[in-house]
Amino acid sequence: MQHAYTRSAIAALALAVGAANTHAQTVRFTVKDLGTLGGPLANAFEINNKGEITGQAEEGTFGATNAFLYRDGQMIDLGSLNSFNTGSNGIDLNEHGHVVGSALAPDPVFPGLASRPFFWSPETGMIDITPDPTVSSLGLASAINDHGVVVGYWRNFAFRWTLEGGMVPLPALPGAFDTIGDPWAINNEGTIVGRSFNTTGQVVPVIWPATGGIVPLSAFGPNPNGWARDINELGQIVGEVTNTLGRTEPVLWENGAATFLGFLPEPFLDWGTAEGINNLGEIVGWDASNSANGIPTVGWYRGLDGFKLKLNDLIIDPDGIWDIRVPLAINDAGQIVGIAVKIGDDGFPIPGVAFLLTPVVSMPCVGDLNNDGVVNGSDLLLLLNDWGADRSVADINSDGAVNGSDLLLVLNAWGECPN
């Protein structure tokens, strides 16, 4: 006989057995050094749902860097657009493993090299996507979706590019002080977010809807400055805006409204940004100090419960050698990539290490969702909060959904956990 459980019924049951703090800290992360291309430093910028990663890594001791694609445990050098085959940066990738970014190419007018937007795939290799290679200017490709639509900026305008259709300029805000824009993310619907100049010369967060046009995102107070840095398939957007104290603060835009995400409760942390959001609504970013010198950047994770947590408190690091400072992206499996400081074998800190965090759920006994040693009303409320989720610690039987089966497991385990 099957049982149908409703949220209201479970809520009543939870209240009957007692409510408690629903903030569970059950997720921990293993941490992995992705390595380099031969030099000492590397940065990881983006990860897809297959666990493929792109970024930049040093090739040797002279500081030259190249874009990489990390796949199947190997860091692949994607090369560059010049005869030296060096000087590139992988900024984003899609589910097909296609990478976009910037690479140094010979300037057609002036001596030397200039940064140009590139597209890379196994079939095409790295190609310059500018419409006229004889024009001297700077640019980069900042994002790509699963349909192969690339966005970025070139010369004095933001663009949208496809392999078949080439480059098309994106509109600027009406009456803008300058036409240049900086698109930074695109979802599969084709909605683009980033920043652009307004009429008074301020750089404001904007959205380029899939249907066309450009719209400024809501800001706070008299200062509209900000930057929309990521968008998921649900249309949730994260980034930064200037708060009433004139400091950059992490923000979430959803359903037409903007919400400050606040700062971690540590001394002097008073500015920062939200860098990435996945399709479940988990967010990563970093906080720093505008009011005090010498305070290192602190990376954070915001779970589905709405709490911001310091990533250094969540990683499994028995040797104490990791300092997760700048998380930049999170995929739907909860894996996080970015830039960390790590203590090397010689005892000295390595200032730029490309890291991968992978979530590990730790549960001392079945049903003890908050790891407090007892299965009780607190765990029942946690299960209720995640009801229907397709990836959650409350999916105890790992069948892909939090439902009545998980509820029965909690009820059957009720009481003290065995030692």
Side-chain angles (χ1 to χ4, degrees):
M1 176 175 150
Q2 294 186 346
H3 299 270
Y5 297 93
T6 65
R7 290 180 65 89
S8 58
I10 300 172
L13 180 58
L15 289 173
V17 296
N21 180 10
T22 62
H23 177 207
Q25 195 170 324
T26 55
V27 177
R28 296 293 185 270
F29 296 90
T30 60
V31 57
K32 181 176 183 179
D33 186 339
L34 298 180
T36 72
L37 294 173
L41 306 177
N43 301 328
F45 292 143
E46 190 58 70
I47 182 170
N48 65 19
N49 287 329
K50 297 178 181 177
E52 298 169 329
I53 301 164
T54 194
Q56 66 176 1
E58 288 190 346
E59 298 179 286
T61 58
F62 301 105
T65 64
N66 263 5
F68 69 77
L69 173 63
Y70 186 89
R71 172 189 288 162
D72 299 326
Q74 300 294 321
M75 185 176 284
I76 304 168
D77 189 335
L78 299 186
S80 194
L81 294 173
N82 56 71
S83 60
F84 304 104
N85 199 36
T86 192
S88 62
N89 179 15
I91 299 175
D92 195 25
L93 81 168
N94 61 17
E95 293 302 311
H96 306 294
H98 300 163
V99 179
V100 297
S102 64
L104 295 178
D107 191 285
V109 177
F110 303 100
L113 303 173
S115 174
R116 301 173 82 91
F118 77 76
F119 167 84
W120 180 95
S121 73
E123 296 76 24
T124 64
M126 184 179 289
I127 59 173
D128 182 344
I129 64 174
T130 54
D132 187 350
T134 67
V135 173
S136 175
S137 192
L138 302 177
L140 62 80
S142 52
I144 180 173
N145 69 12
D146 294 341
H147 304 300
V149 181
V150 180
V151 296
Y153 71 84
W154 165 243
R155 302 185 68 194
N156 61 342
F157 62 86
F159 69 78
R160 179 182 184 274
W161 177 93
T162 62
L163 190 60
E164 300 78 14
M167 185 177 289
V168 177
L170 292 171
L173 289 169
F177 171 81
D178 196 302
T179 59
I180 193 168
D182 191 8
W184 203 246
I186 179 172
N187 65 12
N188 287 331
E189 184 185 49
T191 302
I192 304 163
V193 298
R195 58 183 178 175
S196 190
F197 282 104
N198 65 8
T199 57
T200 60
Q202 294 166 303
V203 181
V204 300
V206 297
I207 180 171
W208 287 270
T211 54
I214 181 174
V215 180
L217 288 164
S218 55
F220 298 84
N223 191 334
N225 287 345
W227 190 354
R229 291 179 178 264
D230 200 14
I231 182 171
N232 65 13
E233 300 305 323
L234 301 177
Q236 295 173 304
I237 301 166
V238 295
E240 65 198 48
V241 294
T242 302
N243 62 22
T244 54
L245 296 177
R247 295 165 182 166
T248 298
E249 184 164 346
V251 68
L252 166 68
W253 290 274
E254 59 181 340
N255 301 320
T259 303
F260 275 136
L261 301 182
F263 303 110
L264 291 168
E266 295 197 4
F268 306 113
L269 295 182
D270 53 14
W271 72 283
T273 189
E275 293 278 3
I277 183 170
N278 65 14
N279 290 318
L280 283 76
E282 297 171 302
I283 303 171
V284 293
W286 50 267
D287 291 345
S289 178
N290 184 68
S291 56
N293 294 325
I295 305 296
T297 301
V298 181
W300 51 260
Y301 159 84
R302 184 181 188 264
L304 302 183
D305 55 9
F307 287 87
K308 280 179 62 171
L309 301 171
K310 184 177 177 181
L311 277 171
N312 283 341
D313 294 337
L314 302 180
I315 60 173
I316 300 170
D317 180 22
D319 297 323
I321 62 174
W322 285 93
D323 185 1
I324 307 300
R325 295 195 178 179
V326 186
L328 293 172
I330 181 170
N331 68 10
D332 290 348
Q335 294 177 299
I336 301 168
V337 296
I339 307 167
V341 173
K342 178 186 176 184
I343 303 300
D345 295 337
D346 58 2
F348 291 95
I350 305 170
V353 177
F355 71 80
L356 168 65
L357 302 184
T358 299
V360 176
V361 176
S362 173
M363 192 182 303
C365 70
V366 171
D368 183 17
L369 301 181
N370 62 359
N371 285 343
D372 66 354
V374 62
V375 180
N376 55 19
S378 302
D379 305 297
L380 201 55
L381 282 177
L382 289 171
L383 185 142
L384 171 62
N385 287 341
D386 284 351
W387 194 260
D390 58 2
R391 190 186 71 81
S392 167
V393 66
D395 180 17
I396 301 170
N397 61 0
S398 301
D399 66 353
V402 180
N403 52 28
S405 300
D406 304 299
L407 172 63
L408 287 176
L409 289 171
V410 169
L411 295 178
N412 289 334
W414 203 263
E416 295 288 334
C417 290
N419 294 328

